[in-house]
Amino acid sequence: MATRTVTSSSRTPVWRSTVVLKVAMAISGLVLVGYLVAHMYGNLKVFAGQEAFDEYAHHLRELGEPMLPYEGALWLIRIVLLAAIGVHIFSAVTLWRRSRAATGGKGSQRYASSKAPRGSQRSYASFTMRWGGVVIILFVIYHLMHFTWNTIAPGGASDSPYERVVNGFEIWWVVLSYTIALLAVGFHLRHGVWAALASLGANTSQRRRRNLNILATLVALVIMVGFLLPPFGIFFGLVG
């Protein structure tokens, strides 16, 4: 009987193995979470007034001078973020396609129960991870066009970062769209933080699993609420 010889050319490269992709997705995701925390801190400076907020935005461009050129540090941060986003999306899409292929196009369905007929081992956040990711990407593009590139100006254009933020968040539909996007971010973070830490080996017991759930929920809530405070503060007249 003929036997099949597996050659090195037919094997999946190590860097594309499922384990490596899960670790890469976890690390890149945690890098993005760290950026979100830093960005949230900067956004909260809007409560300190226009001078403090605009000065903060200006100093970000001077960060690292004179060793780095003007905006040099910002470009390094952008490159790291783009790399993290690229790795995260590539890993997610590759793992999703493998899951679909392994289950005959049905994805990672779990067994049903009377309490959870859509899959007893899956949360609402895990069901919305992919669509949540699409919403987040679209929101990031809009966010950059509004607050960074200054190419769109709901509420009125301005060279002042503070005025752009205030002008935009005085409009109800801008606040509503921002809120919807942040809800998607919150669900994504809730499941993503848990999955990332589990992929890195933190889910080793029932107690640790419970602690991971608490930590993931806290991280998602802190970031979501922290990002929503400025728009609602502006909309209700606490800032401006």
Side-chain angles (χ1 to χ4, degrees), residues 50 54 57 61 147-148 150 156-164 167:
Q50 181 171 358
D54 285 350
R61 287 159 173 76
F147 297 120
T148 303
N150 202 18
S158 176
D159 291 330
S160 164
Y162 177 87
E163 289 182 358
R164 288 201 298 273
N167 292 345

Side-chain angles (χ1 to χ4, degrees), residues 37 48 56 70 117 126 177 196 217 222:
V37 173
Y56 164 77
Y70 185 73
S126 67
S177 62
T217 302
V222 168

